[in-house]
Amino acid sequence: MDKLYRFGISLEKSLIDAFDRHIRKRNYSNRSEAIRDLIRNDLLIKQWKEGGIVAGIIMMTYSHHKRELVSKILDIQHDYQELVISTQHIHLTHHDCLEVIITKGEARQIEELASRLKALVGVKHLNLSISAVGDN
Ligand code: NI
């Protein structure tokens, strides 16, 4: 584990009060952990913008009854096969399927994959979640 460093931060009282209320709602045990997460998040956004490697999970629901949709979804995934690590298909209800696509690669490409899938007729919902890869 990395060595820990301590440093002081000066903030307006109103700002630290608002921050404390915010982190209490998010169930952080202390300010340090909350500030660590803010820094990690900011570095992840930087990584994203600079085209760094990230992990992404695409979660989508779509109509089971549109038969051609399944093959379109698979065709698109094959176009990005270097990004796709794993997929899981769940028959959510009689009408709907849930698909989870786990990816790793350039954020921009993962976003492109997600937006191509989202644009397909019959896709009801799609959410892309990104996580940092590496030491941060
Ligand atoms: Ni299904």
Side-chain angles (χ1 to χ4, degrees):
M1 196 184 175
D2 263 358
K3 199 175 162 187
L4 290 178
Y5 283 88
R6 282 178 187 279
F7 64 99
I9 303 174
S10 305
L11 294 173
E12 292 83 2
K13 181 158 183 355
S14 58
L15 189 57
I16 197 68
D17 286 347
F19 187 64
D20 283 346
R21 281 195 302 275
H22 172 71
I23 67 177
R24 218 172 297 128
K25 276 187 198 155
R26 298 248 169 136
N27 296 314
Y28 282 105
S29 52
N30 57 56
R31 287 176 185 157
S32 290
E33 196 46 50
I35 290 167
R36 242 175 254 143
D37 265 6
L38 284 177
I39 294 170
R40 284 188 194 118
N41 217 33
D42 208 47
L43 291 172
L44 174 62
I45 291 167
K46 179 177 172 279
Q47 225 174 347
W48 182 309
K49 285 180 180 163
E50 290 175 352
I53 300 298
V54 296
I57 296 179
I58 298 167
M59 186 175 95
M60 60 193 288
T61 54
Y62 57 90
S63 172
H64 163 73
H65 300 297
K66 287 194 175 290
R67 295 289 175 182
E68 74 287 3
L69 181 57
V70 176
S71 69
K72 283 180 187 167
I73 287 169
L74 289 177
D75 283 349
I76 292 173
Q77 287 187 43
H78 275 265
D79 288 344
Y80 296 85
Q81 55 87 19
E82 72 283 358
L83 297 181
V84 177
I85 296 169
S86 171
T87 63
Q88 186 160 25
H89 179 106
I90 292 130
H91 312 303
L92 201 57
T93 67
H94 181 70
H95 306 287
D96 292 323
C97 298
L98 169 71
E99 191 141 325
V100 179
I101 306 163
I102 301 171
T103 62
K104 188 178 105 182
E106 262 190 44
R108 267 185 287 265
Q109 279 191 295
I110 296 172
E111 273 184 306
E112 190 184 281
L113 165 62
S115 59
R116 280 187 63 189
L117 292 169
K118 199 173 190 173
L120 293 172
V121 175
V123 173
K124 295 181 175 180
H125 181 260
L126 185 146
N127 180 266
L128 169 61
S129 178
I130 292 280
S131 185
V133 173
D135 296 337
N136 297 322

